């Protein structure tokens, strides 16, 4: 039976290819959805993940950076800097806002850097230089490509205009392009004085960051103190949460679609081989072996579709950002494994209707003329 | 004749037609949901501004958006705006973005502080704000955290009481509404900000005009009199937000919809291919009877369109079901299936993929041998 199924499938390579492609694209849609969210979520945390202090200090009640706002008195930074074991404290000012670059208005994360900041700035420059003077800005290189705003050009944040002096890499995502401007300029935009948003605390060698974080929490009122890993986890989970329901729903829809394609292919094959199946039944083949043969057939078609989708995910999806640079796509092995399980369920579901039909076929029909 | 042939062919195997309609309908539903999701985002961005019901809106000078932006207007500007001829009132509104956390689940929430105008556009459960401790939250927050009217709603350490549930969300963010007493209590009691001047106490002004006032002229006059503000119509502000949304969603959704269209084309192509393969003998007979290739192609095309006509109602029903499911589970999303332009565009595009799908099996017909008509099947 299995041999017959195998031969029948490959006798119609067009149907097999079409079905496998249909299933593959349904799975690709799922993989793509997940890759977009995974990529964007990871890119959203690119800034905190790359500046990577040992400890983050922020306003009480705030525990992440994405979509958050935080303000901490400047004297608290001085107080923390005096605690034994603290190597350095780097304050930043931070704002979520809409920027105008060329004709484009887009959401961005703006980081204000103090003139003597040793860290917290762009971690990789693709052109130009870091900010030195008031009115200067470093923008993501992808933002520059998309908007045509290059080094020497201007962009605006609310009513303040900045001249681009450098392009940073790894700082762009659709949800948040990270821009760097001088601290004083961002203070003007925020109409604030004497406050910072986040304090990036580095600890001395040999000092336990967790113990030091507890000490900061004890000594400084009304601040939240988090270790870097926890801060990143909070940010990442917030970013993922914002789209997770959509991913789940689209996974279900596309899986149902794939199951329908499998059902259609198996059904078509079973119907076209009805006469042969009836003869096999008349020759004494058991319903159970026919049942498993149909499952095997739908499993094969689904497996081909799944393999095509995985090949696409591994080899094609990583190249898509070359065409659409504003997208960050990350295909995770765990999502592919999950899809593998879904593909198995799809194969079973897709086989239900054809097996039902096969089991109802009357062996006596084999002797009809 | 060709139409009749296509119709008879469809009637031969109703189960096959049902499966086909479900598969093609499924593809149409995926496309409609994706397009509807995108349009829903734009609609929410637009409505969140229009629901504030202002004749004109004053923003901080240089600020051209309502959402995802920080606008801070000096408080004395309100009196200056109200002194301009034609202005009845400049109702203050303040936007305070927060991250709501409960049971370690975080959600960014856009809190709008209002005085008289600019509050929730509708209350679906409970009642409007009566005192400083009251808060009206979006239904998506109520569903996500299982919050009912009367429950506590903590922002940092400050306790609000949920007085009502509304339906206002945009940019994948639920909105919440409090009054100015609530905002001051929140700022002071929770020590949310070390320096109150850092937080904008006035973000926007919803300007109410005299019925006879010339809107454009008043807007110009306000900008001339109060240089710290820009004045725009709600429609302009909404349009700016929608355009920003398009920069954000456009590339992602465009790619997803393209993939969905490719799936649709492949599904129709696959169905037509396997159908023609199974009826190759019939096509050979028609060829032997002298039917030209063009007529056979038209038959395939008609059959493909017929499939689509059967599949479209399935697709629409399925899409509506999916949309209702998403909106009930996650009310922060709005799926606008029947956005007129997009709905028609999707249906038209479906016809195009049905047409392309019908082209896939053409080579099989072209290569079918009329001699096969005289062979036994």
């Amino acid at each position: 039976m299995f041999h017959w199924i195998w031969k029948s499938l490959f006798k119609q390579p067009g149907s097999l290819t079409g079905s496998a492609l249909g299933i593959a694209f349904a799975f690709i849609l799922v993989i793509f959805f997940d890759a977009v969210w995974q990529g964007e979520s990871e890119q959203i945390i690119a800034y905190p993940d790359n500046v990577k202090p040992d400890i983050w200090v922020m306003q009480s009640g705030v525990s992440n950076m994405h979509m958050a706002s935080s303000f901490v008195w400047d004297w608290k930074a001085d107080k923390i800097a005096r605690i034994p074991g603290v190597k350095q404290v780097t304050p930043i000012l931070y704002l979520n806002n809409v920027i105008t670059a060329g004709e484009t208005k887009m959401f961005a994360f703006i980081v204000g850097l103090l003139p003597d900041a040793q860290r917290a700035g762009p971690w990789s420059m693709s052109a130009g230089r870091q900010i030195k003077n008031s009115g200067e800005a470093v923008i993501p290189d992808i933002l520059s490509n998309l908007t045509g705003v290059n080094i020497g050009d201007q962009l605006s944040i609310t009513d303040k205009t900045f001249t681009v002096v450098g392009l940073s890499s790894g700082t762009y995502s659709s949800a948040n392009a990270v821009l760097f401007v001088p601290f004083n300029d961002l203070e003007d935009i925020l109409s604030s004085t004497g406050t910072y948003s986040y304090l990036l605390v580095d600890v001395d060698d040999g000092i336990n960051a967790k113990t030091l974080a507890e000490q900061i929490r004890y000594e400084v009122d009304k601040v939240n103190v988090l270790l870097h890993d926890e801060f990143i986890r909070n940010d990442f989970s917030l970013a993922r949460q914002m789209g997770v329901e959509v991913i789940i729903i689209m996974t279900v829809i596309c899986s149902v679609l794939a199951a329908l394609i499998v059902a259609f292919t198996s059904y078509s094959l079973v119907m076209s081989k009805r006469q042969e199946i009836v003869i096999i039944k008349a020759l004494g083949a058991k319903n159970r072996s026919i049942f498993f043969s149909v499952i095997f057939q739908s499993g094969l078609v689904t497996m081909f579709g799944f393999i095509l989708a995985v090949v696409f995910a591994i080899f094609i999806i990583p190249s898509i950002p070359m065409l659409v640079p504003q997208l960050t796509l990350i295909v995770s092995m765990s999502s592919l494994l999950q899809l593998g399980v879904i593909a198995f369920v799809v194969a079973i579901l897709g086989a239900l209707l054809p097996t039902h039909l096969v089991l109802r076929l009357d062996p006596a029909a084999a002797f009809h003329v | 004749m060709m139409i009749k042939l296509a119709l008879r062919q469809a009637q031969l195997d109703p189960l096959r037609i049902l499966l086909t309609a479900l598969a093609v309908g499924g593809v149409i539903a995926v496309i409609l949901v994706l397009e509807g999701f995108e349009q829903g985002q734009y609609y929410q961005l637009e409505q969140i501004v229009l629901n504030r019901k202002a004749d004109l809106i004053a923003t901080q000078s240089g600020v051209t958006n309502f959402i995802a932006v920080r606008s801070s207007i000096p408080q004395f500007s309100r009196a200056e705006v109200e002194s301009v001829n034609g202005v009845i009132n400049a109702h203050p509104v303040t936007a305070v973005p927060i991250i709501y956390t409960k049971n370690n689940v975080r959600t960014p929430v856009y809190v709008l502080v209002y005085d008289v105008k600019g509050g929730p556009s509708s209350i679906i459960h409970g009642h409007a704000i009566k005192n400083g401790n009251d808060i009206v939250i979006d239904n998506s927050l109520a569903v996500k955290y299982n919050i009912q009217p009367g429950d506590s709603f903590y922002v940092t350490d400050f306790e609000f009481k949920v007085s009502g549930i509304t339906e206002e969300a945009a940019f994948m963010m639920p909105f919440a509404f409090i009054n100015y007493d609530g905002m001051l209590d929140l700022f002071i009691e929770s020590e949310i900000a070390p320096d109150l001047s850092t937080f904008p106490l006035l973000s926007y002004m919803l300007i109410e005009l005299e019925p006879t006032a010339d809107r454009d002229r008043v807007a110009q006059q306000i900008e001339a009199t109060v240089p710290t503000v820009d004045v725009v119509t709600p429609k302009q502000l909404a349009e700016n937000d929608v355009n920003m949304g398009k920069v954000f969603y456009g590339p992602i959704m465009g790619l997803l919809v393209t993939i969905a269209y490719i799936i649709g084309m492949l599904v129709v192509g696959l169905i037509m291919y396997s159908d023609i393969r199974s009826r190759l003998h019939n096509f050979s007979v028609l060829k032997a009877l002298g039917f030209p290739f063009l007529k056979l192609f038209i038959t395939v095309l008609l059959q493909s369109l017929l499939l689509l006509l059967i599949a479209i109602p399935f697709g629409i029903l399925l899409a509506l079901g999916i949309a209702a499911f998403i909106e009930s589970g996650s009310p922060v999303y709005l799926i606008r299936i029947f956005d007129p332009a997009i709905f028609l565009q999707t249906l038209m595009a479906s016809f195009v993929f049905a047409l392309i799908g019908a082209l896939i099996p053409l080579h099989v017909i072209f290569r079918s041998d009329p001699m096969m008509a005289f062979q036994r099947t």
Side-chain angles (χ1 to χ4, degrees), chain A residues 11-12 14-15 18-19 21-22 25-26 28-29 32-33 36 59-61 63-64 66-69 71-73 95-98 104-107 158-159 174-175 189-193 195 222 234 237-238 241-243 245-246 249-250 253 257 260-261 263-265 267-268 271 320 324 326-327 353 357, chain B residues 13 15-16 19-20 22-23 26-27 30 33-34 37 60-65 67-70 72 97-99 104-108 144 156-157 171-173 190-195 197-199 240 243-244 247-248 251-252 255-256 259-260 262-263 266-267 270-271 273-274 277 322 325-326 330 333:
Chain A
K11 214 175 158 187
Q12 294 182 24
S15 294
S19 307
L21 279 174
F25 271 87
I28 285 167
L29 200 58
F32 194 80
F33 242 110
V36 166
Q59 178 189 306
S60 172
S63 57
N64 73 307
H66 180 57
M67 311 291 283
S69 69
F71 292 100
V72 179
W73 280 114
L95 170 71
N96 301 307
N97 214 338
V98 173
T104 311
K105 285 178 191 296
M106 63 185 304
F107 187 58
T158 60
D159 54 350
S174 292
I189 291 171
L190 284 164
S191 315
S192 77
T193 47
T195 56
K222 296 287 176 188
N234 292 345
S237 72
L238 182 81
Q241 269 174 42
M242 287 184 78
E245 300 102 331
V246 182
I249 291 160
M250 287 315 293
I253 298 169
L257 193 60
L260 280 169
I261 298 169
F264 178 83
T265 311
Y267 174 81
S268 297
M271 292 312 279
I320 290 176
V324 194
Q326 59 268 54
L327 288 186
L353 180 67
L357 286 173
Chain B
D13 190 347
L15 190 58
R16 186 193 183 89
L19 265 180
T20 307
L22 281 175
V27 176
V30 168
V33 169
L34 287 173
F37 174 81
Q60 178 189 334
S61 175
V63 170
T64 52
N65 292 76
I67 203 156
V69 72
R70 186 183 192 275
S72 182
I98 61 154
I99 307 282
N104 221 21
V105 177
R106 293 172 182 78
T107 306
K144 189 171 180 178
T156 60
D157 301 326
F171 216 44
M172 296 199 277
M173 253 193 315
S190 70
E191 291 189 40
I192 193 169
D195 177 2
S197 69
T198 305
F199 274 85
N240 292 344
N243 287 336
M244 183 199 60
V247 172
F248 179 73
I252 298 171
L255 216 52
L256 289 172
I259 295 175
I262 295 173
I263 299 175
L266 281 169
V267 169
L270 161 74
I271 288 161
Y273 179 84
S274 60
R277 283 281 308 183
I322 295 166
F325 180 69
I326 294 174
S330 309
Y333 304 114

Side-chain angles (χ1 to χ4, degrees), chain A residues 112-304:
Chain A
L113 298 171
L114 286 168
D116 55 348
Q118 298 296 309
R119 54 175 3 277
W123 53 95
S124 170
M125 297 290 288
S126 54
R129 60 168 175 82
Q130 305 265 6
I131 46 173
K132 283 181 189 164
N133 308 306
S134 176
E136 293 181 345
V138 170
I139 66 168
D141 46 8
I142 294 174
L143 178 69
S144 169
N145 288 340
L146 290 173
T147 59
V149 173
N150 220 312
I151 292 173
D153 295 339
Q154 294 194 317
L155 60 84
S156 62
I157 303 167
T158 60
D159 54 350
K160 210 164 174 59
T161 307
F162 292 86
T163 304
V164 177
V165 294
L167 305 179
S168 58
S169 59
T171 46
Y172 184 89
S173 91
S174 292
N176 65 324
V178 185
L179 276 74
F180 299 91
V181 298
F183 191 92
N184 290 344
D185 291 334
L186 195 52
E187 256 190 338
D188 285 349
I189 291 171
L190 284 164
S191 315
S192 77
T193 47
T195 56
Y196 301 132
S197 296
Y198 294 89
L199 308 176
L200 284 62
V201 181
D202 296 306
V203 306
D204 279 328
D205 292 341
I207 297 292
N208 184 309
K210 197 175 171 188
T211 313
L212 188 61
E214 275 167 20
Q215 198 179 341
I216 296 172
R217 220 172 278 136
Y218 177 74
E219 289 193 22
V220 185
D221 277 346
K222 296 287 176 188
V223 291
N224 193 14
V225 186
L226 293 175
L227 293 176
H228 176 71
D229 288 348
E230 191 182 352
F231 186 76
I232 291 294
R233 259 200 315 277
N234 292 345
D235 237 13
F236 187 73
S237 72
L238 182 81
R240 283 288 294 182
Q241 269 174 42
M242 287 184 78
V244 78
E245 300 102 331
V246 182
I247 298 173
I248 293 169
I249 291 160
M250 287 315 293
T251 304
V252 172
I253 298 169
C254 293
S255 303
V256 171
L257 193 60
L260 280 169
I261 298 169
V262 173
F264 178 83
T265 311
S266 296
Y267 174 81
S268 297
L269 199 74
V270 164
M271 292 312 279
S272 67
K273 302 287 172 192
R274 203 167 21 186
Q275 194 63 22
E276 290 169 46
I277 295 170
V278 165
I279 293 169
I280 293 168
K281 269 190 156 187
L283 289 173
K286 286 185 179 161
N287 265 349
R288 202 173 55 180
S289 63
I290 297 174
F291 173 82
F292 281 116
S293 302
V294 177
I295 300 257
F296 174 66
Q297 171 198 286
S298 81
L300 268 181
V301 177
T302 312
M303 191 183 73
F304 287 135

Side-chain angles (χ1 to χ4, degrees), chain B residues 134-202:
Chain B
D134 284 350
I135 187 167
V136 171
I137 60 167
D138 177 55
N139 193 30
S140 63
L141 278 172
V143 171
K144 189 171 180 178
Y145 294 98
N146 192 22
I147 299 172
Q148 317 283 338
D151 288 352
S152 298
F153 187 93
Y154 286 93
V155 178
T156 60
D157 301 326
F158 186 76
E159 183 186 9
F160 283 102
K161 284 276 174 209
V162 176
S163 66
I165 312 285
T166 183
E167 284 182 309
E168 294 217 54
F171 216 44
M172 296 199 277
M173 253 193 315
F175 273 59
F177 297 85
I178 58 173
N179 65 18
Y180 277 94
D181 289 344
M183 182 182 84
L184 291 175
D185 289 345
L186 167 70
F187 280 179
I188 296 163
E189 287 185 30
S190 70
E191 291 189 40
I192 193 169
D195 177 2
L196 274 184
S197 69
T198 305
F199 274 85
L201 294 177
L202 177 58

Side-chain angles (χ1 to χ4, degrees), chain B residues 319-338:
Chain B
L320 285 172
I322 295 166
F325 180 69
I326 294 174
E327 288 172 4
S328 63
S330 309
V332 75
Y333 304 114
L334 175 72
I335 318 284
R336 294 247 311 161
I337 305 283
F338 289 117

